[in-house]
Amino acid sequence: MALSKKMQDALNDQLQREFHSAYLYLSMSAYCSAENLPGFAKWMRLQAQEEVGHAMRIFDYLDDRAGRVVLQAVERPPSQFKSPLEVVEGVRKHEEGVTASIHKLYAIAQAEADYATQTFLHWFITEQVEEEKSTTQLAERLCMAGDNKGALLLLDREVGTRSSAE
Ligand SMILES: [Fe+2]
Ligand SMILES: [Fe+2]
């Protein structure tokens, strides 16, 4: 069964959103590095890589379903941030938006009775639970550190132990 035009367009929009996430997190990584927080910089860089992985999942799926990948412009992310907390809060809020867009995509797949796309999206729905959990925890721990530079440096070291883009 061929992908509907509506489903294909919605998947291409999500592909763009994943690249936009990657771009945003890469910009945040650069900011953290400039702020001498190599742990956060590494975490954000791996997060950016992970987003490219999400985009490529959609790219491959469109291809598998004989759909057409249509790459869109990726908007320019901010390059300056107020604080590490603003960065992490930004990731958390951004991921909430991604969850909402994945859910919208799922609703379209349901309306179109596109069962293959529903199954494909299950992975993303589960992934968003993990993303929201990890980013909420990071934001809350950064909040706890407050103005304590020692706590920030300790957290930076811990966050820097992340080793995979998953
Ligand atoms: Fe993603
Ligand atoms: Fe993840």
Side-chain angles (χ1 to χ4, degrees):
M1 199 177 95
L3 269 177
S4 72
K5 170 85 168 77
K6 188 173 182 187
M7 196 74 253
Q8 177 176 294
D9 288 349
L11 284 163
N12 273 307
D13 287 348
Q14 189 62 35
L15 179 61
Q16 188 268 359
R17 266 183 224 113
E18 300 292 346
F19 275 123
H20 176 240
S21 300
Y23 229 42
L24 175 65
Y25 300 160
L26 205 52
S27 187
M28 288 170 163
S29 175
Y31 163 81
C32 291
S33 192
E35 290 294 306
N36 298 308
L37 293 167
F40 281 97
K42 185 182 172 191
W43 193 94
M44 293 293 164
R45 187 186 177 122
L46 286 169
Q47 193 64 26
Q49 271 178 35
E50 182 177 327
E51 298 306 335
V52 172
H54 296 169
M56 294 316 291
R57 269 180 190 264
I58 299 169
F59 183 101
D60 289 338
Y61 179 72
L62 279 161
D63 199 44
D64 289 347
R65 292 288 309 278
R68 191 74 177 85
V69 171
V70 182
L71 295 179
Q72 301 167 20
V74 180
E75 60 260 48
R76 177 181 171 171
S79 57
Q80 197 49 45
F81 302 91
K82 280 198 212 89
S83 63
L85 184 61
E86 192 196 55
V87 166
V88 173
E89 268 296 328
V91 178
R92 192 183 63 76
K93 286 211 188 79
H94 187 79
E95 286 300 326
E96 278 178 8
V98 172
T99 300
S101 74
I102 296 281
H103 291 176
K104 264 190 207 150
L105 215 51
Y106 195 84
I108 295 170
Q110 280 182 319
E112 305 263 315
D114 184 340
Y115 301 110
T117 300
Q118 288 174 43
T119 301
F120 169 71
L121 290 172
H122 287 161
W123 183 90
F124 281 87
I125 292 168
T126 306
E127 170 62 16
Q128 285 311 117
V129 173
E130 186 259 343
E131 296 290 14
E132 287 195 34
K133 181 187 169 189
S134 63
T135 52
T136 299
Q137 193 191 52
L138 195 54
E140 284 177 3
R141 298 190 72 201
L142 204 47
C143 242
M144 273 184 226
D147 291 332
N148 185 334
K149 296 282 178 217
L152 176 64
L153 290 178
L154 215 58
L155 195 55
D156 183 65
R157 202 197 297 175
E158 189 196 308
V159 161
T161 60
R162 175 175 178 176
S163 59
S164 71
E166 275 169 23

